[in-house]
Amino acid sequence: MKDTQIKKLIEAEKKRQKRVINLIASENYVSKDVLEALGSELTNKYAEGYSGKRYYGGQTFVDKIEDLCKERALKLFGLNSKKWAVNVQPLSGSPANLAVYLALVPKEGKIMGMSLDHGGHLTHGHKVSATGKFWIQVPYGVNKNTEQIDYEEIKKIAIAEKPDIIVAGYTAYPRKVDFKKFREIVDSIKHTDPNKKTYLMVDMSHFAGLVAGKALPSPFDYADVVTTTVHKTLRGPRSAMIFSKIDSREINKKIDKAVFPGLQGGPHINQIAAVAVALKEADTAVFKKYAKQIIKNADTLAKELKKLGWKIISGGTDTHLILMDTWMEGKGISGKEASDVLEKNGIIVNKNTIPNETRSPMDPSGIRLGTAAETTRGKKEKDFVLIARKIDKILRSH
Ligand SMILES: Cc1ncc(COP(=O)(O)O)c(C=O)c1O
């Protein structure tokens, strides 16, 4: 690279990534093949539209790449192309979620999603996000005592509010989600207007790799729409996909229109090629083993931290992530301080609010830990026992 300034910074970041213990729950380390596809000449190509229906010439190979990516996405999650469609053009998770609402939720309609401080994502209707400005959020949270989803409570809210869409799947919720129960909740909503319908959307951004690796239950038997980022547990490039059921309302066609021309121009074909590479990598026995190891490692980390006296939200984890209450009602250390002091000692985490947060989002009561990135680097349970002890030592000596 001739640009020495950028080259140096990339080299420095590469070294930083190698040096630290990375416990950011939404990050991972992609393969060389994924990087190669991302950095290829495909970035030169404009391809507005969809395969076979583009607005520019020269699409012979681009169409093949996008078709292959879609085929691999459906295959990875065991989906029949007559029953499910997939759009692989969203640039990232937030625009993917926005596209679904644009397609399925009427103006000023209701999005029922988990509130941010209980573990939901900004794009589940939070007021600072476009999704909370154009639509109305009906928030739900976790049970105060169990710190887990309370399906009865959600049912009550859903029946009273009759939202246009219910979003399941979160950013900072460490437990398995019961998609069947969500389906039952959606089906129990009775609209007086026969044209109205409540859709069930699962945002599996965080745990897509765990579903792909058959380490967590799949949402596809119950959801109408499934969105996901590709860059977390699925270990692909920064990108997103939207899966939709092919039904009489043609929601897949509405979603395609919402992505392009509704929200985007030309798709990033280099990114789509890199997604295709990651999907093939995820469709292997090695990846299945990896997905199971992620969960074993998270479980070990949570149990060890608990043993050392720290409060783990909901009492543990079923996934790749752990929400740790570092503040412990003033007996511990704030989330910001914890994150800062851990970084000084080579452990990278993110500060995070906890359910029923009493502090501010910039200096909350907790931190979020994830095991996907370090599991990619080959770490096992015994390594996570040592990581837990290191975290404990650093936080207590602060
Ligand atoms: C559940 C969930 N949905 C959507 C997103 C948004 O993804 P992106 O940052 O790619 O826009 C995130 C990001 O962390 C997420 O956790």
Side-chain angles (χ1 to χ4, degrees):
M1 189 188 287
K2 288 194 198 77
D3 185 335
T4 51
Q5 267 178 305
I6 288 294
K7 187 178 166 139
K8 265 191 202 153
L9 289 169
I10 293 174
E11 285 304 320
E13 170 59 15
K14 247 161 97 175
K15 279 193 193 138
R16 186 201 67 80
Q17 289 187 11
K18 285 211 172 107
R19 197 173 56 234
V20 300
I21 294 175
N22 183 4
L23 299 181
I24 301 228
S26 47
E27 291 184 5
N28 214 325
Y29 296 104
V30 299
S31 68
K32 288 236 159 57
D33 288 1
V34 167
L35 290 178
E36 204 177 304
L38 267 180
S40 68
E41 288 72 8
L42 293 170
T43 198
N44 300 334
K45 187 73 198 109
Y46 239 108
E48 273 182 358
Y50 291 101
S51 195
K53 290 173 280 181
R54 308 271 187 195
Y55 289 83
Y56 297 73
Q59 308 293 348
T60 312
F61 307 112
V62 161
D63 277 5
K64 285 194 175 125
I65 288 169
E66 188 166 344
D67 289 347
L68 186 57
C69 185
K70 290 166 83 162
E71 194 185 304
R72 287 181 181 177
L74 293 175
K75 179 170 176 283
L76 180 63
F77 293 101
L79 305 174
N80 179 333
S81 62
K82 292 203 173 63
K83 295 190 177 151
W84 283 87
V86 61
N87 188 308
V88 295
Q89 293 195 0
L91 305 177
S92 212
S94 301
N97 288 350
L98 189 56
V100 175
Y101 307 144
L102 191 64
L104 304 183
V105 183
K107 264 189 195 165
E108 293 174 12
K110 291 180 182 173
I111 298 168
M112 184 164 160
M114 190 182 275
S115 55
L116 190 71
D117 65 332
H118 283 234
H121 189 255
L122 288 165
T123 58
H124 299 172
H126 191 277
K127 63 180 186 308
V128 302
S129 143
T131 64
K133 293 189 194 294
F134 301 148
W135 296 282
I136 298 159
Q137 189 195 39
V138 175
Y140 65 89
V142 294
N143 179 279
K144 203 169 185 321
N145 301 317
T146 62
E147 294 170 329
Q148 296 196 33
I149 290 175
D150 181 341
Y151 294 93
E152 277 311 306
E153 183 60 26
I154 292 175
K155 189 172 177 179
K156 271 189 220 152
I157 303 172
I159 288 175
E161 294 282 350
K162 298 185 178 29
D164 297 281
I165 198 163
I166 297 185
V167 184
Y170 317 98
T171 294
Y173 181 72
R175 295 300 188 169
K176 215 183 270 183
V177 181
D178 189 335
F179 303 116
K180 186 165 183 260
K181 283 208 176 121
F182 266 104
R183 181 78 252 165
E184 285 162 8
I185 291 167
V186 167
D187 290 344
S188 67
I189 300 169
K190 303 283 174 247
H191 291 280
T192 40
D193 178 350
N195 294 319
K196 281 202 86 173
K197 178 182 159 81
T198 301
Y199 291 100
L200 177 58
M201 163 174 149
V202 173
D203 178 348
M204 64 170 186
S205 289
H206 261 275
F207 51 88
L210 306 178
V211 174
K214 309 233 176 328
L216 275 187
S218 166
F220 288 99
D221 287 339
Y222 305 104
D224 300 297
V225 180
V226 176
T227 61
T228 184
T229 53
V230 187
H231 45 274
K232 299 184 174 84
T233 49
L234 197 47
R235 207 163 59 186
R238 286 179 177 277
S239 194
M241 303 185 285
I242 306 171
F243 296 88
S244 52
K245 234 180 189 163
I246 299 175
D247 68 358
S248 57
R249 292 179 181 240
E250 302 196 313
I251 60 175
N252 58 313
K253 291 191 182 161
K254 290 180 188 158
I255 288 170
D256 280 352
K257 277 191 193 147
V259 173
F260 172 82
L263 288 170
Q264 297 178 187
H268 298 180
I269 298 298
N270 56 323
Q271 197 183 18
I272 291 173
V275 172
V277 171
L279 293 171
K280 191 171 181 198
E281 289 172 356
D283 207 357
T284 56
V286 177
F287 192 88
K288 281 199 185 79
K289 216 170 147 198
Y290 163 66
K292 292 193 176 82
Q293 190 64 49
I294 293 176
I295 296 182
K296 283 188 210 159
N297 288 348
D299 184 54
T300 304
L301 181 59
K303 285 186 176 142
E304 193 65 22
L305 286 167
K306 249 172 104 170
K307 232 198 270 171
L308 294 164
W310 294 97
K311 182 168 185 275
I312 302 301
I313 299 296
S314 84
T317 181
D318 304 318
T319 65
H320 63 302
L321 79 80
I322 294 157
L323 198 54
M324 178 175 168
D325 177 354
T326 52
W327 180 242
M328 296 196 297
E329 294 174 337
K331 293 193 285 286
I333 155 173
S334 80
K336 181 181 181 318
E337 276 182 298
S339 155
D340 289 349
V341 70
L342 286 169
E343 177 154 7
K344 272 190 202 129
N345 287 278
I347 299 180
I348 312 296
V349 304
N350 68 276
K351 56 181 182 272
N352 217 100
T353 52
I354 60 168
N356 306 303
E357 182 58 70
T358 53
R359 298 174 58 83
S360 75
M362 287 313 288
D363 191 8
S365 302
I367 55 175
R368 188 183 65 161
L369 311 170
T371 55
E374 289 301 324
T375 306
T376 293
R377 294 168 121 186
K379 291 204 174 59
K380 298 262 165 61
E381 289 95 317
K382 63 178 183 349
D383 303 301
F384 277 92
V385 169
L386 299 180
I387 290 174
R389 289 182 190 160
K390 197 166 171 191
I391 291 174
D392 175 65
K393 199 167 162 208
I394 295 165
L395 296 186
R396 292 205 191 274
S397 59
H398 179 63

